[in-house]
């Protein structure tokens, strides 16, 4: 696996994240949904709170997978290194998202780069701490197993979509997924705004296509009034028509 060498080392700084904020974000993590406040407090006690400035790397692809993170504040972008030395955006994380990897979960190295898009705070847990959580909270262990099985199923589904779906369907699916996660409703019925820099190369990587094919699809959607876009933003103007593209209508 190619290794991305960051321009500077990870600039994690100890951070005092208030207990109510930590408890709230832990409660949003699917692994921990439904746990009592006492159970969440036990998990929180095994985590450390760290902060990063905008542009700081949290970890890089190819490094040993040593931590899981729960984003408490800010935004973190996930990118994949390419053989040509570039990075393509694959996800943008928001508070409550779980990310990172652990060798004990079958991932010996990080498969992607994580970088703070804004000043960010995250809760971090190491392998020993996470193993203790799984031992002391069997319901969490069962959810981790379900999650691993779900990731395998989604991977198979993604392969099937890439092999059978059109480029337009894949682009539309990706835009809708990002809108559900990151979208901000524009005033006056102006659609849903994605304030994320999405290059054609990023969308191509996320959809298993080529930048040229994605560019043609985006141009057509813009001409038809389904979307609008600028250098660092994309707006979904007609969600119903974009959903129809996914359905092949």
């Amino acid at each position: 696996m190619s290794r991305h060498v960051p321009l500077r080392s990870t600039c994690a700084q100890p951070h005092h994240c208030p207990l109510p904020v930590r408890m709230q974000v832990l409660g949003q993590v699917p692994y921990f949904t439904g746990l009592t406040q006492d159970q969440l407090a036990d998990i929180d006690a095994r985590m450390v709170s760290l902060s990063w400035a905008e542009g700081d790397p949290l970890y890089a692809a190819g490094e040993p997978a040593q931590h899981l993170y729960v984003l408490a504040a800010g935004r973190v972008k996930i990118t994949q290194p390419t053989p040509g030395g570039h990075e393509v955006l694959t996800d943008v994380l928001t508070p409550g998202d779980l990310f990172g990897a652990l060798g004990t979960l079958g991932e010996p190295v990080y498969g992607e780069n994580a970088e703070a898009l804004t000043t960010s705070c995250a809760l971090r847990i190491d392998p020993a701490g996470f193993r203790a959580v799984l031992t002391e909270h069997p319901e969490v262990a069962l959810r981790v197993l379900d999650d691993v099985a779900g990731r395998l199923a989604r991977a198979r589904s993604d392969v099937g979509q890439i092999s059978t779906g059109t480029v337009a369907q894949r682009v539309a699916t990706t835009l809708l997924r990002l809108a559900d996660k990151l979208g901000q409703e524009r005033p006056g019925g102006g659609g849903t705004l994605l304030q994320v820099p999405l290059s054609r190369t990023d969308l191509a990587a996320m959809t298993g296509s080529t930048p040229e094919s994605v560019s043609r699809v985006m141009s057509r959607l813009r001409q038809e009034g389904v979307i609008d876009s600028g250098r660092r933003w994309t707006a979904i103007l007609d969600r119903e028509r974009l959903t129809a593209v996914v359905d092949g209508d």
Side-chain angles (χ1 to χ4, degrees), residues 39-244:
Q39 290 173 317
L40 290 176
D42 177 68
I43 294 170
D44 174 68
R46 302 183 184 280
M47 309 187 87
V48 297
S49 178
L50 300 169
S51 66
W52 294 262
E54 179 181 345
D56 283 349
L58 281 69
Y59 56 79
E63 293 179 348
Q66 298 177 329
H67 297 100
L68 287 177
Y69 300 79
V70 178
L71 189 61
R75 289 188 176 184
V76 169
K77 71 175 181 178
I78 301 297
T79 61
Q80 287 277 359
T82 68
H86 301 291
E87 295 180 16
V88 292
L89 180 72
T90 58
D91 204 356
V92 176
L93 307 179
T94 55
D97 281 342
L98 180 76
F99 61 107
L102 292 174
T104 53
L105 294 180
E107 299 176 90
V109 299
Y110 295 117
E112 71 283 319
N113 308 310
E115 179 184 308
L117 266 179
T118 64
T119 299
S120 299
C121 167
L123 308 179
R124 190 176 76 179
I125 191 167
D126 61 21
F130 193 65
R131 184 180 293 275
V133 169
L134 297 182
T135 300
E136 297 172 12
H137 302 284
E139 61 270 55
V140 175
L142 291 174
R143 289 171 183 167
V144 170
L145 288 175
D146 289 341
D147 180 55
V148 172
R151 291 187 188 189
L152 291 173
R154 286 193 297 273
R156 289 193 293 268
S157 175
D158 290 344
V159 170
Q161 185 188 50
I162 288 175
S163 63
T164 61
T166 66
V167 175
Q169 287 174 315
R170 302 199 297 270
V171 169
T173 298
T174 299
L175 290 176
L176 289 171
R177 179 174 64 82
L178 291 173
D180 289 339
K181 184 173 185 179
L182 305 169
Q184 301 173 342
E185 294 305 313
R186 302 168 90 183
T192 303
L193 179 65
L194 294 172
Q195 287 188 309
V196 179
L198 280 175
S199 71
R200 299 300 180 255
T201 301
D202 291 332
L203 281 173
M206 298 173 79
T207 58
S209 184
T210 65
E212 294 77 15
S213 296
V214 167
S215 183
R216 287 193 292 270
V217 169
M218 293 291 284
S219 295
R220 185 168 71 249
L221 292 174
R222 190 164 49 248
Q223 291 169 2
E224 294 174 355
V226 178
I227 68 167
D228 194 7
S229 62
R231 184 181 177 188
R232 300 180 62 86
W233 59 273
T234 302
I236 296 175
L237 305 179
D238 193 330
R239 185 183 178 98
E240 185 174 333
R241 290 174 65 188
L242 195 61
T243 301

Side-chain angles (χ1 to χ4, degrees), residues 5-11 53-57 115:
V5 180
L7 296 179
R8 52 182 169 162
S9 60
T10 302
C11 301
E54 179 181 345
D56 283 349
E115 179 184 308

